[in-house]
Amino acid sequence: MTTRVPLFIAGEFTQSNSQQWIDVTNPATQEVIAQVPCATQDEMDAALASAEKAFQSWKETPVSERARLMMRYQALLKEHHDEIAEILASETGKTFEDAKGDVWRGIEVVEHAANIPSLLMGETVENVARGIDSYSYTQPLGVCGGVTPFNFPAMIPLWMFPLAIACGNTFILKPSEQDPLTPTRLAELFVEAGAPEGVLQVLHGGKEQVDFILDTPAIRTISFVGSVPVAQYIYRRGTDNMKRVQAFAGAKNHCVIMPDANKQQVINNLVGASVGAAGQRCMAISVAVFVGKAKAWQSELAEALKGVKPGPWQDKNSAYGPLISPQAKQRVESMISKGEQEGAQLLVDGRDYKVEGYPDGNWVGPTFFSGVKPNMSIYQEEIFGPVLCAIEVDTLEEAIALVNANPFGNGTSIFTSNGAAARKYQHEIEVGQVGINIPIPVPLPFFSFTGWKNSFFGDLHAYGKQAVRFYTETKTITARWFESDIEASGPNMSIDL
Ligand code: NAD
């Protein structure tokens, strides 16, 4: 019998009464490995009631106890690291190494959440006026909501609920319906770590369940990660409903290659950053901008990309796995055909890729276009597949102008041995996360994940100090005590001031 993914409501894993179930498939074989429900209205109401009830006691739980929950959770996640990575690999098709990375980057955020007492510290100023002090506290908001994408089913849920809960909130998570087994395991381990009933709920489903989170007034915030159209929809509808919203969206990340860079390092880094994880990373490099004489390196890069072999996650030699679904494969292949029709030079073609023993997998081989122009659809749209587009320019200034004209602003990098060029790039580029000789500059959790422009809608970003501000309200107190009251309190008052 196929596994039916449970909902997690009021501290219990329960089977849904839904009539609507979605198949979860192994993307390397199309085998149905589980079915996930679309939670019913009653189930969503029960999740909300549980989260609201739990908030009343959780917000009063001392911050050091909340920190200790995160310490225990971090230890358990580490203990079960490989087991979670196996579940993750089986439902996403990611290689085992990549799946372990997905889990590890999430564990790091839990580690950060264990520092919550320091992160919550407010500010104080004595004597703002004679005899008057001011100080601020950060207090939790209530029930927070999160909606996550398929491509990092461990890391992205862990960007959200540990910090929100450490701040004293309760949380309703709606994970991607394409890989719900990993977030379910994360919830099981959270219970094992001692999470009190109701602080976390996991509701499954699609648009209807997301709309519940968007439209329910008692859910105070929504954290979203996914595609641009859905992020815009979430931001508009969420803010229209007067919620605090942070919506992380798609990307088109450029890597600028200066002729003074180390050629071999550039090629090695570009291969992994462009087609690794089948290009299904929001920080993947999808555009290589070759400056001046570096243009000549493209044929060597093409040869290196030809040597990259995707395959099943169980095979240690697989460089990356299949795309998440047959629809994703079809979309990526049709984008490749469009690029060819628009006149880009297809130096490596990943269409119709075959992996022995896996005839039904959603494979797309490494793909490399040279001579790409900014008006081509392969440049303008996020492909989200193992496809790298190369553009040639003559100067660093031209490269900067190109990147800044792009509507996305998630990540970018520059490869150079010239400090002045790197400094100019980091200063002038209108992108939120910049790598210098680092192709995928994802910040560690004590910073924040800071995409710009169409890659992010909102003000406060994920994890780091910004997330703590997102999940809390600041209360500022101005206090005066009258010395005359000390004397007024009677003969037993014998404190020397
Ligand atoms: P998606 O937008 O299709 O789905 C994301 C979530 O939204 C899922 O939980 C899904 O059930 C829900 N959803 C889908 N359609 C909806 C609708 N019409 N109304 C309400 N909810 C809806 O994204 P995906 O395919 O799962 O993930 C890939 C995308 O996520 C890519 O565009 C990628 O760049 C982006 N992404 C961005 C970041 C970032 O930090 N900027 C990180 C990871 C992924």
Side-chain angles (χ1 to χ4, degrees), residues 147-214:
V147 178
T148 53
F150 79 83
N151 68 329
F152 283 98
M155 178 184 83
I156 294 181
L158 292 172
W159 278 6
M160 299 178 184
F161 75 82
L163 271 165
I165 290 173
C167 287
N169 302 288
T170 57
F171 202 87
I172 299 179
L173 174 69
K174 205 303 283 171
S176 170
E177 64 280 24
Q178 299 191 85
D179 44 19
L181 297 171
T182 306
T184 302
R185 189 70 188 120
L186 297 180
E188 284 170 358
L189 292 170
F190 199 42
V191 175
E192 212 177 309
E197 176 185 322
V199 296
L200 174 68
Q201 331 283 321
V202 185
L203 283 179
H204 294 289
K207 182 175 187 310
E208 196 187 326
Q209 290 64 31
V210 173
D211 285 347
F212 172 79
I213 294 177
L214 283 169

Side-chain angles (χ1 to χ4, degrees), residues 148-151 174 177 207 224-227 249-250 282 382 384 449:
T148 53
F150 79 83
N151 68 329
K174 205 303 283 171
E177 64 280 24
K207 182 175 187 310
F224 171 83
V225 180
S227 59
C282 66
E382 181 183 43
F384 222 53
F449 189 92

Side-chain angles (χ1 to χ4, degrees), residues 241-495:
N241 286 332
M242 312 305 274
K243 286 183 202 301
R244 214 177 260 197
V245 182
Q246 49 175 201
F248 298 82
K252 201 80 185 171
N253 305 312
H254 297 65
C255 178
V256 171
I257 300 126
M258 298 298 288
D260 57 29
N262 178 311
K263 182 175 70 176
Q264 205 47 52
Q265 277 177 4
V266 167
I267 291 171
N268 294 347
N269 278 282
L270 271 181
V271 168
S274 58
V275 302
Q280 299 176 117
R281 290 178 179 141
C282 66
M283 288 290 278
I285 293 293
S286 48
V287 183
V289 185
F290 289 94
V291 182
K293 288 189 178 136
K295 293 171 194 172
W297 303 351
Q298 292 179 75
S299 52
E300 268 182 73
L301 176 60
E303 286 313 305
L305 282 163
K306 277 181 196 158
V308 175
K309 307 280 180 226
W313 73 267
Q314 298 91 336
D315 183 347
K316 280 197 172 64
N317 296 319
S318 303
Y320 63 84
L323 294 191
I324 191 68
S325 64
Q327 294 78 1
K329 171 184 159 82
Q330 203 238 327
R331 221 194 96 260
V332 171
E333 289 195 333
S334 72
M335 293 283 302
I336 299 172
S337 304
K338 214 165 168 192
E340 212 179 11
Q341 286 154 21
E342 286 175 342
Q345 244 182 300
L346 188 52
L347 298 187
V348 187
D349 183 358
R351 289 172 297 184
D352 300 320
Y353 195 90
K354 302 276 182 289
V355 173
E356 210 189 314
Y358 295 85
D360 299 322
N362 311 318
W363 310 109
V364 176
T367 301
F368 183 39
F369 278 110
S370 170
V372 174
K373 302 282 177 249
N375 62 352
M376 293 179 180
S377 50
I378 48 169
Y379 177 74
Q380 290 180 348
E381 290 172 37
E382 181 183 43
I383 301 176
F384 222 53
V387 181
L388 179 63
C389 296
I391 289 199
E392 298 177 3
V393 297
D394 293 326
T395 62
L396 176 61
E397 284 74 12
E398 258 185 81
I400 291 173
L402 175 83
V403 179
N404 285 350
N406 192 278
F408 293 103
N410 217 31
T412 187
S413 55
I414 182 167
F415 275 74
T416 180
S417 57
N418 182 320
R423 169 65 175 67
K424 182 176 171 69
Y425 193 75
Q426 82 179 28
H427 183 65
E428 292 183 16
I429 213 68
E430 292 162 10
V431 173
Q433 303 172 102
V434 183
I436 296 173
N437 298 317
I438 303 235
I440 303 190
V442 177
L444 277 141
F446 23 90
F447 290 90
S448 296
F449 189 92
T450 51
W452 284 14
K453 301 198 276 190
N454 272 0
S455 299
F456 177 69
F457 305 100
D459 306 288
L460 294 166
H461 292 86
Y463 59 78
K465 293 192 189 89
Q466 294 200 21
V468 173
R469 287 187 55 208
F470 182 76
Y471 293 124
T472 55
E473 199 72 89
T474 305
K475 183 180 280 177
T476 312
I477 295 146
T478 306
R480 173 166 60 185
W481 296 95
F482 298 100
E483 289 202 14
S484 57
D485 287 350
I486 301 172
E487 281 144 46
S489 60
N492 291 336
M493 186 67 221
S494 55
I495 297 170

